[in-house]
Amino acid sequence: MKKQFLYIILAFIATATINAQSRGTKVGYIDMEYILENVADYTEAKIQLEQKAQKWKSEIETKKIEINKLKDALKAEKALLTKELIDERDAEINFLEKESLDYQQKRFGANGDLITQKSVLVKPIQDQVFTAVQDISERLKYDFIFDKSSDLTMLFAAKRFDISEQVLRVLNRTEKREQLTKKQQKEAEAKELKEDAIDDNPVLAERKKILDEKKAARDQLIEDRKVLQEQKRKEFEDKRKQILEEREAKKAGTVSANAKVEAAKTPTSNFDAKKEVLEAAKQNQTEARLKLIEDRKKLMEDRKRELEEKRLKTLEDREAIKKAKEAKIKENTNNN
């Protein structure tokens, strides 16, 4: 009987090993510093702690200045003092220096207030991060999760294995749920289900990432074009304004020195002015046509993007429904 039980255990271990080898080892990592910097509670508490540290540094600096003043006074009056008074002053200075050193050690030492309060500040968030990492690891079947900001040396880490954003999403979900109504909580749960489905499916996640990058690049291109068009419009307006001012000056008989020089150089200044106005108008029409083409192109791109997003959303909904069904079947199986 014992031998049979041993054979069963060995067979189970061998099966688990074969399964792990067949599916491959899944590894991910987090950047704890990045996560902490993007948690609002930690950022606010960190600012308060830095203010305290600055205050402590100011107090230490004030003590040093006072001690230096006492030393300078003793040095200046030493020739006029008796030995007993000199020894008394030296003892006072030594006492103040030791007191200042002890205070500095108390605030900034290895076990000082700064290190202690920083640990108290970080620990609750670290616990939340560890819980979120465990949940993500179990859900997405990770074998190992490393911390990039720890003492572990990572010579290279591909961005696709970084799950810091997923951890932040889990932390933000917990914080937001407390402030939502029941209806908003249901909507948030549906959204979370879709996000989890994307995390479970690397293909969908990669597609979403590509769409986001394309959207960001397209928005930047549109912004650059707007700036360029605004710059051209301003140049055109300045040029037109200059021509109108020169015309008004000629009519009033108060032509500027530069305008007189230009008129002396070319007798056809009026013709040139008209020509410039016509060229400016032509340029304006060209820009208007270009803008119309850009608007049409943007409309086509928007339609294309909407279709792509609609298709992606359909895939996400299907994947979410599939996951929900699988979870329900698994739950029913476990209950049975």
Side-chain angles (χ1 to χ4, degrees):
M1 184 67 180
K2 290 182 179 180
K3 287 183 178 181
Q4 290 179 351
F5 184 70
L6 182 61
Y7 289 147
I8 291 171
I9 293 175
L10 291 173
F12 178 76
I13 294 171
T15 304
T17 305
I18 291 169
N19 289 334
Q21 291 175 349
S22 62
R23 70 177 173 82
T25 304
K26 194 171 182 181
V27 180
Y29 71 91
I30 62 168
D31 188 345
M32 182 65 80
E33 291 181 0
Y34 171 76
I35 292 171
L36 291 176
E37 287 172 0
N38 286 274
V39 175
D41 293 342
Y42 175 79
T43 305
E44 291 174 4
K46 185 181 178 184
I47 291 171
Q48 293 177 3
L49 187 58
E50 287 175 353
Q51 289 174 350
K52 281 186 179 180
Q54 194 61 39
K55 182 182 175 183
W56 295 336
K57 287 179 181 178
S58 299
E59 291 174 355
I60 292 169
E61 192 63 29
T62 302
K63 288 179 183 293
K64 285 183 179 179
I65 292 171
E66 291 175 358
I67 292 169
N68 288 332
K69 284 181 179 179
L70 290 174
K71 285 182 177 179
D72 292 340
L74 177 60
K75 188 177 180 181
E77 300 172 2
K78 199 168 187 179
L80 304 174
L81 299 174
T82 62
K83 187 176 181 305
E84 289 79 8
L85 288 173
I86 293 172
D87 292 340
E88 186 179 337
R89 294 270 190 94
D90 282 332
E92 182 184 0
I93 290 170
N94 291 333
F95 174 78
L96 291 174
E97 284 181 336
K98 185 177 181 305
E99 188 180 44
S100 177
L101 188 62
D102 291 341
Y103 182 79
Q104 187 173 347
Q105 192 68 20
K106 177 187 175 184
R107 297 301 191 188
F108 298 101
N111 298 317
D113 294 338
L114 183 64
I115 300 297
T116 304
Q117 292 189 26
K118 190 176 287 187
S119 301
V120 172
L121 169 64
V122 172
K123 192 176 184 311
I125 302 173
Q126 281 182 333
D127 293 340
Q128 293 177 28
V129 171
F130 294 150
T131 303
V133 168
Q134 289 177 356
D135 294 340
I136 293 170
S137 301
E138 291 173 1
R139 179 165 54 81
L140 301 181
K141 306 279 188 294
Y142 278 97
D143 296 297
F144 301 100
I145 300 290
F146 299 101
D147 181 8
K148 185 180 178 181
S149 59
S150 67
D151 294 334
L152 176 68
T153 302
M154 298 183 74
L155 299 178
F156 174 77
K159 185 65 179 174
R160 66 179 181 275
F161 299 119
D162 188 358
I163 63 168
S164 301
E165 292 293 343
Q166 297 178 37
V167 173
L168 273 174
R169 202 157 60 224
V170 172
L171 296 179
N172 292 332
R173 286 176 186 175
T174 307
E175 184 178 352
K176 288 179 181 178
R177 275 181 187 150
E178 299 174 357
Q179 304 172 357
L180 298 178
T181 61
K182 289 184 179 179
K183 184 179 179 181
Q184 289 173 334
Q185 285 180 0
K186 287 182 180 179
E187 293 174 355
E189 287 174 1
K191 185 180 178 182
E192 290 168 10
L193 192 62
K194 290 180 183 179
E195 290 174 348
D196 292 341
I198 292 174
D199 292 339
D200 293 342
N201 192 329
V203 177
L204 288 178
E206 189 64 26
R207 284 181 182 174
K208 187 175 184 299
K209 182 181 177 182
I210 292 170
L211 284 174
D212 292 341
E213 289 175 353
K214 285 183 177 179
K215 184 178 181 299
R218 189 164 54 249
D219 292 342
Q220 184 62 40
L221 181 62
I222 292 170
E223 186 65 27
D224 293 342
R225 285 175 178 171
K226 284 181 180 179
V227 172
L228 184 61
Q229 287 176 358
E230 184 65 24
Q231 185 178 356
K232 287 182 178 179
R233 188 189 66 80
K234 188 175 182 302
E235 289 175 358
F236 171 75
E237 289 294 333
D238 292 341
K239 196 170 184 180
R240 189 170 68 88
K241 186 179 178 182
Q242 183 183 357
I243 293 170
L244 291 174
E245 286 176 353
E246 288 177 359
R247 282 183 180 178
E248 291 295 328
K250 287 176 182 179
K251 286 180 182 179
T254 57
V255 184
S256 62
N258 291 333
K260 287 180 180 179
V261 172
E262 291 296 327
K265 285 182 180 178
T266 170
T268 58
S269 58
N270 290 334
F271 175 75
D272 292 338
K274 289 180 181 179
K275 186 178 178 181
E276 287 179 356
V277 171
L278 288 173
E279 287 178 355
K282 187 177 179 181
Q283 184 181 0
N284 195 17
Q285 290 176 356
T286 304
E287 289 177 359
R289 283 199 299 272
L290 289 173
K291 187 177 184 303
L292 182 61
I293 293 169
E294 289 296 332
D295 292 340
R296 287 178 181 174
K297 187 177 178 181
K298 182 177 179 297
L299 182 61
M300 291 178 67
E301 288 178 351
D302 289 341
R303 287 178 180 173
K304 186 177 178 181
R305 188 182 74 254
E306 287 174 2
L307 289 172
E308 184 65 22
E309 289 176 352
K310 188 175 180 181
R311 188 173 67 82
L312 181 61
K313 185 176 182 300
T314 303
L315 291 173
E316 291 174 0
D317 292 339
R318 288 178 183 173
E319 191 69 23
I321 292 169
K322 182 180 176 182
K323 291 289 181 183
K325 286 181 179 180
E326 289 177 355
K328 190 172 182 181
I329 292 169
K330 187 177 179 181
E331 185 180 354
N332 292 335
T333 304
N334 293 334
N335 292 335
N336 292 333

